[in-house]
Amino acid sequence: MLKPGTSAPAFTAESTAGTIRLQDYLGQKNIVLIFYPGDDTPVCTKQLCGIQDRYSELEKLDTIVLGINPAGLNKHQAFSDKFSYSFPLIVDEQEKIRESYDVGKILGLFFQQRIVYIIGKDQKIRYAKKGNPPVSELMQVLSAQS
């Protein structure tokens, strides 16, 4: 896991909202990166639905949210459509983004870890936490930066 203060690695990848170039947002917006193990699984669904429920509040804090895992675009699109996510789910089939953000594997190397990063407008990681932190905690970090 990358430590706070580390410069955020840029990437370009396909997503449910087309091609995402992180460099287009670095320095312009706060960015919440959610590395989650699998689409349409109970904990992942709860985590991303929690973000969706407060997405308009996150947008008011000049923040974008990106969900990332190695699933393909069709699987991401079906998951996103099912729950009407307002934020893109990024395809990381080659796992290059996971590796650049030092997100490990769990359960016999089958699934990536669940890690949430917040990247500030200074392009540095401001927050890094394993697991499923409450959205209120993310909002506190983002509010302190605004």
Side-chain angles (χ1 to χ4, degrees):
M1 182 166 68
L2 298 179
K3 302 289 182 220
T6 304
S7 292
F11 59 81
T12 300
E14 290 307 308
S15 82
T16 54
T19 301
I20 298 285
R21 291 172 27 94
L22 193 68
Q23 48 271 43
D24 292 345
Y25 301 101
L26 288 170
Q28 307 299 312
K29 291 190 171 283
N30 297 307
I31 303 164
V32 175
L33 291 181
I34 302 172
F35 288 88
Y36 66 101
D39 292 340
D40 221 4
T41 59
V43 176
C44 296
T45 299
K46 181 180 177 188
Q47 181 179 27
L48 296 183
C49 284
I51 291 288
Q52 178 61 41
D53 289 347
R54 301 200 56 193
Y55 193 69
S56 63
E57 294 172 69
L58 289 163
E59 286 183 311
K60 288 176 187 167
L61 294 171
D62 205 17
T63 301
I64 64 158
V65 174
L66 304 171
I68 304 171
N69 81 19
L73 187 56
N74 290 341
K75 188 161 182 165
H76 276 341
Q77 195 65 61
F79 183 43
S80 181
D81 290 348
K82 182 176 180 179
F83 295 100
S84 302
Y85 294 139
S86 299
F87 50 90
L89 301 180
I90 292 177
V91 175
D92 188 24
E93 286 181 300
Q94 303 302 313
E95 302 189 45
K96 300 287 187 208
I97 303 169
R98 178 188 67 76
E99 290 171 0
S100 70
Y101 278 84
D102 197 24
V103 174
K105 295 273 211 152
I106 55 172
L107 296 177
L109 307 180
F110 287 114
F111 298 103
Q112 73 181 18
Q113 289 178 315
R114 184 183 310 281
I115 295 179
V116 177
Y117 289 107
I118 294 176
I119 302 166
K121 290 182 183 178
D122 62 357
Q123 303 182 40
K124 305 262 189 221
I125 292 173
R126 294 287 162 212
Y127 173 94
K129 190 167 191 176
K130 289 182 181 176
N132 182 8
V135 178
S136 58
E137 186 174 309
L138 304 179
M139 302 285 288
Q140 276 185 313
V141 172
L142 291 161
S143 293
Q145 294 188 87
S146 297

